[in-house]
Amino acid sequence: MRSDVIKHGVDAAPARSLFRADGLTDEDFDKPFIGIANSWNEVVPGHIHLNKVVEAVKEGIREAGGVPFVFGTPAVCDGIAMGHKGMRYSLISREVISDCCEVMVEGHAMDGWVGVSNCDKVTPGMLMAAGRMNLPALIVTGGAMEAGNLNGKVVDFQDVFEAIGQVQVGSADEAYLKSVECAACPSAGSCSGLFTANTMACLTETLGMSLTGCGTSLAVDEKKLRIAKESGKRIVEMVRQGITPRSIVTEHSIHNAIAVDMAIGGSTNTALHIPAISKEFGCPVSLDKFDEISRDIPHITSLRPAGQYHIRDLDNAGGVPAILNRLRSHLEDANTVNGKTVMQIADEAKVLDEEVLRPLDNPYHQQGGIAILKGNIAPLGSVIKQAAVSPKMMVFSGTAKCFNSEADAIEAIKTGKIVSGDVVVIRYEGPKGAPGMPEMLAPTSIIQGRGLGESVALITDGRFSGATRGGAIGHVSPEAYERGPIAALQDGDIIDIDIPNRKLNVRLSDEEIKARLEKVEIVERPVTGVQKKYRKLVTNGVNGAYLE
């Protein structure tokens, strides 16, 4: 075993001595050493229960004859970080988490490891580490919270942000906002809709990196603990059999993940995470692949933020296996950590709710959830969750109102300076410019809450929360900080958005854009510490904000 270097022989005596201080005995030195990356903390609701999940993983490892070692990773709650400086650290944390896993697993010669994760950047970070190290690994995602209930109406975290806009236009009072605030997040777990955390949980299962049922089982379900225990047992078997992540995740797996993403209408953040993950697994994909698959795969669910259902409903409908069953003709066979192939899982699955998970010939939308738009504003590309866009906004022309920060844009929206027919442009919020490419749930939600969701669009070189809906276009590349064309836009410019034809253009000639860019003064935000390192290494949004 790989860990023999720290367990056997005369030279390993110092390491064994230290392990004895951890409570190990002679017989433990003949067992596989299994790391457990635990993102538990007391800040993030999606993580406050993870110690229980970790205990179940440890129990499974011990029963299978392994020795578990738990270590921690950070986790940023995007909902808590939203709208202030903290949001600039969220995407940065993906790389920090990945590095933490590598440092601990490689630094202590583990034979294999389990990532116990939840929420937006943690699961992608752990998957990136798995592909990079290529040691036996699997992921246990912590599960979604229940949706809330307010006087018989189902509510969730997205409703809190939209209620703010309702208060601002006088259609609701602060007492109503308080009632939504208190009802929206009723339990441990990641936010209850198909936002980024739960999208990535579903895609992790699709990639074959977590056991069947893990992606949609809720944080409060005992099923989650059973899956965690089985995961502990399975990782020991994988170590003994030499099953590594790159023998599971291939270009076929990545294709399947994007197909499922399109079918369920997942978060636009997958267009950052899947490219970055694919690079670490040695099978890189571009956004062109997303658009190609999106044109071929219909949108067959209606989960929040695009619809009315939540993760509980998807789980009751059969979860990821049922989705795979629906998509059999569009999938490519691949291995999974279960020991079964994707096609075997798909063939054994049943769809238990025909409305939550519609057949391919009766979809909610004819195309997949995400569209990739290009044009003279975004020569390299941009991303929109087309499944969450009103039909009235699929083709839209409007007047630009430009802001060099999210805060300035929010102030304008709150004070009524944004009106029907406007296109809000938020720039210098990209991977380098912000830095950290912050999510922008607040401006999009306030637009919705003020009743402008079908008449105002928003484009940015930053990104959006998985809870965002409406005509919100993100990941515009090149970003303003790189002198991308978005930096040349001015108030009053006419912007044309054509989602069916994948176009995003401003009515300016190439010569005018070039002339304006020569005069642009780049907004330079001083940075220190991790942000300074990140700015130097990060690529743009269409490359997954991957660190070169």
Side-chain angles (χ1 to χ4, degrees):
M1 285 185 287
R2 184 171 179 270
S3 60
D4 285 351
V5 68
I6 55 173
K7 295 189 301 190
H8 297 301
V10 173
D11 291 342
R16 288 197 302 271
S17 179
L18 291 166
F19 279 123
R20 292 183 194 280
D22 291 337
L24 271 63
T25 63
D26 284 347
E27 64 181 16
D28 290 325
F29 295 121
D30 292 322
K31 300 175 182 178
F33 279 12
I34 310 295
I36 303 175
N38 179 12
S39 59
W40 171 87
N41 60 66
E42 293 183 338
V43 180
V44 188
H47 298 249
I48 57 175
H49 66 299
L50 291 188
N51 279 345
K52 288 180 63 177
V53 178
V54 166
E55 286 302 316
V57 174
K58 288 169 66 176
E59 186 177 351
I61 291 170
R62 290 192 179 105
E63 285 189 10
V67 181
F69 297 92
V70 182
F71 60 88
T73 73
V76 174
C77 178
D78 287 5
I80 296 173
M82 197 76 65
H84 61 93
K85 182 180 177 181
M87 194 66 234
R88 303 188 191 284
Y89 289 88
S90 174
L91 187 56
I92 291 175
S93 75
R94 185 185 72 182
E95 269 60 31
V96 175
I97 291 158
S98 184
D99 290 349
C100 284
C101 294
E102 180 184 358
V103 165
M104 291 300 291
V105 172
E106 294 284 11
H108 301 99
M110 301 293 178
D111 297 302
W113 65 287
V114 177
V116 178
S117 73
N118 223 6
C119 295
D120 305 45
K121 311 309 162 305
V122 188
T123 301
M126 291 187 181
L127 285 169
M128 290 168 68
R132 184 189 309 163
M133 290 187 283
N134 200 32
L135 298 170
L138 57 77
I139 307 294
V140 180
T141 49
M145 67 172 63
E146 293 278 15
N149 186 299
L150 180 61
N151 301 323
K153 177 188 175 184
V154 177
V155 293
D156 59 34
F157 184 64
Q158 177 184 339
D159 290 296
V160 183
F161 275 91
E162 295 187 4
I164 295 172
Q166 293 170 346
V167 170
Q168 289 168 353
V169 297
S171 61
D173 58 20
E174 291 191 29
Y176 171 74
L177 175 60
K178 180 70 176 292
S179 66
V180 176
E181 171 191 331
C182 293
C185 301
S187 72
S190 53
C191 297
S192 56
L194 190 66
F195 310 142
T196 308
N198 297 323
T199 302
M200 287 308 306
C202 290
L203 299 193
T204 300
E205 185 176 335
T206 303
L207 285 169
M209 285 297 292
S210 61
L211 294 187
T212 298
C214 189
T216 57
S217 55
L218 267 60
V220 295
D221 287 353
E222 286 301 311
K223 179 167 65 172
K224 181 66 70 180
L225 298 181
R226 293 197 299 272
I227 290 171
K229 183 175 179 179
E230 288 303 314
S231 297
K233 293 180 179 179
R234 181 59 183 155
I235 189 61
V236 176
E237 295 170 357
M238 290 171 64
V239 167
R240 288 176 172 150
Q241 296 168 14
I243 300 172
T244 59
R246 289 196 178 196
S247 68
I248 295 167
V249 177
T250 64
E251 65 271 16
H252 302 301
S253 314
I254 299 294
H255 170 94
N256 294 341
I258 298 173
V260 168
D261 189 18
M262 296 305 109
I264 63 178
S267 165
T268 53
N269 280 316
T270 60
L272 287 173
H273 299 322
I274 292 297
I277 291 165
S278 70
K279 288 181 182 181
E280 295 287 18
F281 276 90
C283 45
V285 295
S286 70
L287 289 190
D288 292 337
K289 186 70 171 177
F290 278 72
D291 203 55
E292 173 191 325
I293 294 175
S294 179
R295 292 174 185 271
D296 189 43
I297 301 286
H299 175 224
I300 59 174
T301 64
S302 186
L303 275 65
R304 293 279 281 170
Q308 71 271 36
Y309 297 116
H310 291 82
I311 296 300
R312 167 68 79 187
D313 302 303
L314 181 58
D315 193 50
N316 290 341
V320 172
I323 301 167
L324 299 177
N325 180 276
R326 283 284 196 236
L327 296 178
R328 281 195 306 266
S329 61
H330 294 274
L331 301 179
E332 300 174 359
D333 210 5
N335 295 321
T336 74
V337 294
N338 297 276
K340 297 180 179 181
T341 69
V342 166
M343 287 303 186
Q344 287 175 320
I345 293 169
D347 288 340
E348 293 171 3
K350 293 182 179 180
V351 177
L352 303 177
D353 190 317
E354 296 283 330
E355 185 61 20
V356 172
L357 201 53
R358 288 185 177 182
L360 298 183
D361 59 3
N362 182 34
Y364 287 95
H365 299 94
Q366 291 298 326
Q367 293 189 348
I370 289 174
I372 307 302
L373 312 185
K374 293 184 179 181
N376 63 3
I377 295 176
L380 298 180
S382 62
V383 181
I384 187 167
K385 189 171 185 174
Q386 64 173 344
V389 177
S390 164
K392 296 179 181 179
M393 294 289 291
M394 294 297 285
V395 178
F396 180 79
S397 295
T399 304
K401 289 191 176 173
C402 303
F403 304 92
N404 289 342
S405 73
E406 179 190 11
D408 290 345
I410 290 173
E411 181 62 24
I413 298 167
K414 283 182 175 181
T415 55
K417 295 176 183 176
I418 302 302
V419 298
S420 179
D422 285 343
V423 179
V424 178
V425 177
I426 306 178
R427 57 199 175 195
Y428 298 102
E429 297 288 9
K432 290 180 181 292
M437 204 180 186
E439 285 185 349
M440 299 182 200
L441 179 56
T444 57
S445 295
I446 296 169
I447 286 170
Q448 293 288 338
R450 293 180 71 90
L452 298 171
E454 294 186 344
S455 61
V456 169
L458 190 154
I459 67 173
T460 180
D461 51 10
R463 62 193 177 94
F464 298 110
S465 164
T468 288
R469 61 190 178 105
I473 302 167
H475 307 199
V476 170
S477 298
E479 62 177 291
Y481 190 82
E482 298 176 302
R483 289 191 181 274
I486 191 173
L489 300 181
Q490 296 176 1
D491 289 352
D493 288 341
I494 303 301
I495 293 175
D496 297 316
I497 299 168
D498 185 345
I499 298 173
N501 290 306
R502 307 303 201 255
K503 299 295 184 182
L504 175 62
N505 288 297
V506 60
R507 295 180 191 176
L508 296 173
S509 67
D510 291 345
E511 291 76 17
E512 175 65 16
I513 292 174
K514 182 179 179 182
R516 287 189 186 183
L517 287 176
E518 289 174 353
K519 299 175 183 177
V520 163
E521 292 186 14
I522 298 298
V523 174
E524 187 71 54
R525 296 191 178 101
V527 291
T528 58
V530 68
Q531 290 187 339
K532 186 175 182 179
K533 290 184 286 187
Y534 188 83
R535 176 177 279 173
K536 287 183 177 180
L537 298 174
V538 71
T539 57
N540 55 36
V542 297
N543 287 307
Y546 185 79
L547 300 192
E548 293 289 2

